[in-house]
Amino acid sequence: MKQSFKRTQFPPESETVELKQSLGEWKEIVETCAAFATASGGTVYVGINPKGERVGVQIGQGTLEDLANKIKLNTDPPQFPSIEVLGPERSAVIQIHVEQNPVKPVWAFGRPVKRVGRTNQLLRRDEAHRLLEATTGRTWDAFACDDFLTRDISQKAVRDFLGRAGMKKSTPLGDIVRNLRFGDKTHFCNAAVLLFGKFPQRFFVEAKLKCARFIGTSLVNFLDERTMEGNILRQLDEAMSFVTRNTRQAIVITGKPAHDVVPEYPEEAVREAIINALCHRNYTEVGTIQVRIYDDRLEVWNPGKMPSDLSVAELYHRHASRPRNPLLANALFRTRLIEQWGTGTLRIIEACQPHNIKVEFESAMGMFIVRLKQLAPPSTKPESQPESRPESQPESRPESQPESLDQRVMRLVKDMPLTKAKISAQLGQRKVSGQLNKIIRALVREGILEYTIPDKPNSRLQKYRLTAKGLSLLPREKQ
């Protein structure tokens, strides 16, 4: 900070110049310094009114030091601009010159800002992280999460990871973190938060997964809905369970003593779509991963645009791998949940082909969408065209159409009355879902189920049993 001669003319406001009338506008001065540092640098003149006229400010003992400290303490990374006094101390103009910062963006008061024209613009989170990745060469998952400490790590999540990765569950945490490049014993990166955190949503509120089963083919009404939180492996498991209990399961005769159960959507394809979303989503975007189940399709919506050098059309063929979060992808590769060769989309397509399901990929509205769409069943062959396989050689063939949830409920209570909680547990649900409540109420209303305690329908001891009408509605071969 040095004394300089008085200047009588100052440049007008522009992309690199800001005029401030007094030091009372210190917060705006700090913000402008951060905005200049994010852009190409610039100069703030304090003591000039909006018309460009010099009004001057009074310089007291410690004035410049106080201003420099305010700029340093309220910017991140901290900025140390050069500050000069132009003119006499009783009516001086303070010149603050800011250099372009090599690491961008620079934050002011916890917000990323950039100079655009003559204004300071706030950056969206995704824009801020793109700038940060571009200027540091590091991806979002590799940045440190300063508030995440060792006490925030779930030992259960760590053991789950080690089991899936085929590693000894006694492996020290320090070795795991170092091996995965997740930081050290006391400092952890964002990937560690998502994979090992007790509650990652405390640090990244958008890191959730929402599932819904809708009635029909639109978003108007839903039968079941749930939001999955916790670490991403837990979210995956809970989402797969949701899909299982909200889609139909076909029983297939194979000639073996036990029948095979064929899901409505191939489990491998659904898992691949969900784990890809959890691994490759843009965690800086507002929004959550969504699994949407309709009568005719299943969709996985993933926040974030596709890489600029990869098109939707290329996803249907072999293509280069473009992991948005490479550290997280590497860890999930260890668990054998994903592969790193850009064939995830091809695996989804391959898994769906035998099931007459069309796979569609779409990039729209800042989301990447995987759509598993059921096609109409093939038409029956004319009688004049004999089957290529003789009937005397039984192969896998459907024994019945996939059972709906109401049929599964009817079958569970056919031989023994059950409480709603028991029905839910036997369906594989952790708790009684809204969909199950609706179905049981409807079956009772239609006389298919009846109460064992009819005068106390809301009793905690209430059980449900199949009526004669309900029994008559079950497929004959399964009675």
Side-chain angles (χ1 to χ4, degrees):
M1 306 172 196
K2 61 182 180 180
Q3 191 79 10
S4 178
F5 290 109
K6 176 180 177 181
R7 291 181 57 178
T8 57
Q9 292 185 344
F10 296 90
E13 285 194 336
S14 67
E15 194 165 34
T16 57
V17 175
E18 178 86 348
L19 306 179
K20 292 298 177 186
Q21 187 161 318
S22 73
L23 288 170
E25 300 174 274
W26 69 269
K27 289 186 177 180
E28 290 83 358
I29 294 170
V30 170
E31 183 179 89
T32 299
C33 288
F36 282 156
T38 300
S40 303
T43 305
V44 182
Y45 294 97
V46 185
I48 308 295
N49 68 20
K51 295 181 181 180
E53 300 168 341
R54 176 185 175 146
V55 294
V57 294
Q58 186 170 347
I59 306 296
Q61 185 176 4
T63 297
L64 301 184
E65 288 79 4
D66 179 62
L67 178 60
N69 280 331
K70 285 177 177 176
I71 295 172
K72 178 186 71 174
L73 295 174
N74 292 290
T75 54
D76 184 20
Q79 298 301 297
F80 301 89
S82 64
I83 301 177
E84 296 184 35
V85 175
L86 308 178
E89 292 185 350
R90 300 192 63 174
S91 60
V93 170
I94 301 175
Q95 175 181 281
I96 308 167
H97 182 69
V98 182
E99 296 288 344
Q100 178 179 177
N101 202 70
V103 176
K104 304 177 182 181
V106 175
W107 298 54
F109 305 105
R111 303 182 301 177
V113 288
K114 181 181 179 179
R115 187 72 171 184
V116 179
R118 293 187 296 174
T119 62
N120 302 328
Q121 299 289 325
L122 292 178
L123 296 177
R124 298 198 313 268
R125 284 191 300 173
D126 60 314
E127 294 175 323
H129 280 284
R130 276 200 297 270
L131 265 178
L132 193 59
E133 290 177 8
T135 55
T136 63
R138 299 168 65 194
T139 53
W140 175 87
D141 61 335
F143 283 104
C145 186
D146 295 330
D147 297 330
F148 185 81
L149 305 175
T150 305
R151 65 170 179 264
D152 297 308
I153 289 179
S154 165
Q155 294 302 320
K156 181 179 179 180
V158 173
R159 289 193 299 270
D160 181 29
F161 169 80
L162 291 172
R164 295 178 193 243
M167 300 170 64
K168 292 182 179 179
K169 293 188 177 182
S170 59
T171 304
L173 178 63
D175 292 350
I176 301 168
V177 171
R178 185 166 51 253
N179 186 263
L180 295 175
R181 292 181 293 145
F182 277 7
D184 54 43
K185 290 183 179 180
T186 56
H187 299 88
F188 306 94
C189 67
N190 292 337
V193 180
L194 295 177
L195 196 59
F196 298 145
K198 290 179 181 176
F199 190 62
Q201 291 69 36
R202 184 164 75 86
F203 305 91
F204 311 117
V205 69
E206 304 288 349
K208 303 174 185 177
L209 191 155
K210 293 186 176 182
C211 295
R213 172 61 167 99
F214 297 96
I215 301 173
T217 59
S218 69
L219 294 169
V220 178
N221 298 305
F222 64 85
L223 288 171
D224 196 4
E225 183 273 337
R226 190 176 173 198
T227 298
M228 284 67 177
E229 297 182 330
N231 69 76
I232 59 174
L233 293 180
R234 176 180 172 182
Q235 291 182 37
L236 171 66
D237 291 344
E238 293 184 354
M240 292 299 297
S241 295
F242 183 94
V243 172
T244 297
R245 71 173 182 262
N246 281 284
T247 53
R248 295 169 292 184
Q249 311 293 315
I251 298 175
V252 174
I253 297 175
T254 62
K256 301 175 183 178
H259 295 165
D260 284 348
V261 176
V262 178
E264 186 175 1
Y265 297 95
E267 185 177 316
E268 180 183 357
V270 176
R271 179 181 289 106
E272 189 78 30
I274 295 175
I275 196 64
N276 281 349
L278 288 165
C279 178
H280 301 309
R281 74 154 287 181
N282 186 344
Y283 283 94
T284 68
E285 289 273 10
V286 175
T288 58
I289 298 170
Q290 297 179 14
V291 178
R292 303 179 177 187
I293 306 173
Y294 303 88
D295 285 358
D296 64 341
R297 66 193 188 278
L298 182 150
E299 298 176 346
V300 179
W301 290 56
N302 178 15
K305 299 177 182 178
M306 290 181 57
S308 58
D309 59 345
L310 187 64
S311 68
V312 170
E314 290 177 284
L315 299 179
Y316 295 91
H317 309 282
R318 288 192 176 275
H319 57 273
S321 179
R322 295 283 189 274
R324 190 188 303 274
N325 302 298
L327 286 185
L328 189 58
N330 176 63
L332 293 174
F333 174 73
R334 303 284 187 93
T335 67
R336 304 172 181 84
L337 285 170
I338 70 167
E339 43 67 47
Q340 293 181 312
W341 311 113
T343 60
T345 55
L346 299 183
R347 289 163 53 137
I348 295 174
I349 294 171
E350 183 179 352
C352 288
Q353 281 177 342
H355 298 270
N356 206 28
I357 293 175
K358 181 181 180 182
V359 179
E360 296 177 348
F361 304 115
E362 182 180 353
S363 183
M365 302 171 289
M367 304 285 284
F368 177 69
I369 305 164
V370 178
R371 183 177 295 110
L372 310 184
K373 193 171 183 179
Q374 298 179 20
L375 298 176
S379 58
T380 305
K381 294 183 179 180
E383 293 183 4
S384 59
Q385 296 182 3
E387 293 289 342
S388 59
R389 183 181 296 116
E391 289 186 1
S392 59
Q393 298 179 6
E395 295 291 341
S396 298
R397 64 181 184 276
E399 180 186 50
S400 65
Q401 292 297 317
E403 279 193 311
S404 60
L405 184 56
D406 55 355
Q407 289 175 320
R408 294 165 67 189
V409 171
M410 291 162 60
R411 195 170 307 288
L412 286 173
V413 298
K414 178 172 71 74
D415 298 319
M416 178 186 299
L418 296 174
T419 64
K420 198 179 293 184
K422 285 286 188 181
I423 295 172
S424 175
Q426 293 197 32
L427 289 171
Q429 301 178 358
R430 290 194 174 187
K431 62 180 181 178
V432 179
S433 66
Q435 180 190 14
L436 181 58
N437 272 318
K438 290 180 181 179
I439 285 176
I440 290 178
R441 285 197 299 267
L443 292 175
V444 172
R445 188 169 58 248
E446 294 171 13
I448 296 172
L449 296 185
E450 64 182 5
Y451 299 122
T452 57
I453 313 175
D455 55 333
K456 295 182 179 180
N458 295 321
S459 170
R460 64 183 181 85
L461 302 176
Q462 187 63 260
K463 295 182 180 181
Y464 302 86
R465 61 184 167 218
L466 196 64
T467 64
K469 177 182 177 181
L471 188 62
S472 69
L473 295 175
L474 285 174
R476 186 179 302 275
E477 65 272 20
K478 292 188 177 180
Q479 293 180 14

